[in-house]
Amino acid sequence: SNPLDKDQMQGLRGIREFLKVRTSYDVLPLSFRLVILDNDLLIRKSLNILIQNGIVSAPLWDSRNGTFAGLLTSTDYINVIQYYCQFPHEIDQVDQFRLSSLRDIERAIGVLPLETVSVHPMRPLYEACRRMLKTRARRIPLIDTDDETGRETVVSVITQYRILKFIAVNNEQHTMLLKKPVREIGLGTYIDLATANMNSSVLDVIYLMVKYNISAVPIVDKDNRVMNLFEAVDVIPCIKGGAYDELTATVGDALSQRAEDFGGIYTCSEEDRLDSIFETIRKSRVHRLIVVDDDSRLKGIISLSDILKYVLLYGEEEDDLQEY
Ligand code: ATP
């Protein structure tokens, strides 16, 4: 058989073994900051706190019961926007919503609540990865319980990005074996891509993200050349200060207001291989790669979940998968 296939499989196995002997705790930096929001906080105020802290998500805390109350993510804000669109007369009420109302908002607009899974920080990292893939959660809170008091503590949150970065940094001997072109291994999505253009409204793009259940929409010109990428997190500054009426603004306007430290978008070609994608992840804060041809025309999109899924599941037997 093809030596590339053999190396590829050996690399994947090496990474899987690594994930089984490391814990979620190992992924955390030596020191870190964790912003936890009280469930009683007004949704409107939570936006400012995220923006001021330069974060896009936070665990919620129910201080009355002393329990973890879920993860706040950009999906929640998109739900609030959908609520506002369905019930435009209730803008005053929307302004008074607290984070604890998020579940009611989901119900009102008829979306299924995301399953909140958590993992214990000392469990194998492999388990956290499998949970992520199974529930489509992009981030999982690490929750520990105090032996004496039985109280829960949110230790941190691990994301797909952090896990892939951890693999990229610690597993070069395995990632360097992944030499098959992304086209050949079918990594990513290449058909039925959701796209928009600079003149689309922010609401149009949000609608696409909801419809396709995706967190980013490539912005292309009339020749399908990639101009930019609108991500779910780009919604946060748009609605800062309760400016829901500004969602009719164009994508072009919204993207021009991105923070100065915006890292840019990452592209690759269909000839690129996972070894170089891991190289990119090692060096930069990548959340997805846009696959383009030599003329910058859009070919596909590779999300972190596509990479994680391939790394964990490719070539595994169905039976092994039932376990998690
Ligand atoms: P994140 O990128 O936020 O970490 P994720 O990895 O789950 O989350 P999504 O962008 O939600 O990524 O992608 C989910 C699936 O949809 C992936 O298989 C991806 O290839 C595909 N996908 C992503 N963006 C688009 C798009 N614009 N059009 C069609 N399919 C897409």
Side-chain angles (χ1 to χ4, degrees):
S1 67
N2 185 339
L4 282 189
D5 286 327
K6 195 165 160 263
D7 278 2
Q8 187 94 2
M9 222 38 239
Q10 195 186 330
L12 293 175
R13 279 199 207 100
I15 297 172
R16 290 171 195 165
E17 285 317 308
F18 171 80
L19 294 173
K20 286 177 183 167
V21 298
R22 296 304 178 93
T23 67
S24 296
Y25 194 78
D26 293 331
V27 180
L28 304 181
L30 278 180
S31 99
F32 58 88
R33 180 183 62 127
L34 179 65
V35 178
I36 298 182
L37 302 182
D38 193 293
N39 221 9
D40 273 338
L41 190 72
L42 289 172
I43 295 182
R44 177 163 48 83
K45 293 200 172 163
S46 70
L47 279 164
N48 288 332
I49 297 177
L50 293 188
I51 294 169
Q52 279 161 13
N53 284 284
I55 53 177
V56 294
S57 145
L60 302 177
W61 188 253
D62 177 338
S63 48
R64 265 171 247 166
N65 300 315
T67 52
F68 168 68
L71 267 189
L72 173 71
T73 71
S74 46
T75 303
D76 293 307
Y77 296 112
I78 288 177
N79 289 344
V80 176
I81 292 168
Q82 289 188 81
Y83 182 92
Y84 171 69
C85 292
Q86 287 184 27
F87 310 100
H89 310 301
E90 295 183 17
I91 182 70
D92 293 341
Q93 204 189 324
V94 171
D95 227 35
Q96 292 309 312
F97 274 141
R98 295 177 189 279
L99 293 170
S100 53
S101 327
L102 287 168
R103 301 290 86 83
D104 300 329
I105 294 175
E106 282 171 348
R107 226 167 292 132
I109 61 170
V111 305
L112 286 174
L114 279 179
E115 196 183 336
T116 14
V117 285
S118 60
V119 290
H120 190 277
M122 294 316 279
R123 298 290 304 163
L125 185 53
Y126 187 80
E127 201 173 299
C129 295
R130 294 300 296 267
R131 292 259 172 97
M132 272 183 175
L133 292 179
K134 195 166 171 192
T135 59
R136 295 208 61 212
R138 294 166 176 105
R139 41 186 82 232
I140 294 192
L142 303 179
I143 309 241
D144 201 352
T145 341
D146 188 302
D147 288 341
E148 281 167 26
T149 61
R151 290 227 156 211
E152 292 185 322
T153 354
V154 187
V155 177
S156 186
V157 176
I158 51 167
T159 59
Q160 293 178 346
Y161 170 72
R162 268 199 176 162
I163 294 171
L164 290 169
K165 179 102 171 176
F166 186 66
I167 295 173
V169 169
N170 295 292
N171 256 287
E172 216 174 332
Q173 77 274 30
H174 297 127
T175 58
M176 63 182 266
L177 296 174
L178 306 174
K179 291 204 164 71
K180 297 189 72 174
V182 296
R183 177 178 37 76
E184 229 175 279
I185 58 174
L187 188 70
T189 301
Y190 298 85
I191 49 166
D192 193 22
L193 294 170
T195 62
N197 58 56
M198 284 292 185
N199 294 319
S200 309
S201 73
V202 172
L203 267 183
D204 291 337
V205 180
I206 291 174
Y207 174 75
L208 283 176
M209 292 195 277
V210 172
K211 183 178 161 205
Y212 283 75
N213 198 4
I214 49 176
S215 49
V217 174
I219 307 302
V220 295
D221 71 6
K222 60 179 187 350
D223 300 316
N224 210 27
R225 283 200 194 88
V226 177
M227 312 298 290
N228 214 321
L229 182 73
F230 192 94
E231 299 174 285
V233 295
D234 290 314
V235 167
I236 294 174
C238 290
I239 54 171
K240 183 180 158 196
Y244 294 97
D245 41 350
E246 282 171 29
L247 293 170
T248 50
T250 65
V251 162
D253 284 340
L255 292 180
S256 67
Q257 286 169 34
R258 259 181 187 155
E260 261 169 50
D261 61 358
F262 174 71
I265 64 174
Y266 293 86
T267 59
C268 70
S269 85
E270 287 182 283
E271 299 308 317
D272 280 339
R273 313 173 311 196
L274 259 180
D275 60 350
S276 68
I277 292 180
F278 271 112
E279 187 97 4
T280 310
I281 294 174
R282 181 155 50 237
K283 291 192 206 124
S284 0
R285 210 177 167 81
V286 193
H287 285 287
R288 55 191 62 73
L289 293 122
I290 306 184
V291 187
V292 291
D293 69 10
D294 292 342
D295 287 324
S296 300
R297 287 199 175 83
L298 178 68
K299 300 297 278 185
I301 188 154
I302 301 176
S303 73
L304 298 186
S305 64
D306 294 328
I307 300 174
L308 198 62
K309 194 179 292 167
Y310 177 80
V311 166
L312 261 85
L313 306 185
Y314 177 77
E316 286 281 281
E317 296 291 334
E318 277 290 324
D319 299 349
D320 299 344
L321 306 184
Q322 301 302 328
E323 247 180 85
Y324 290 87

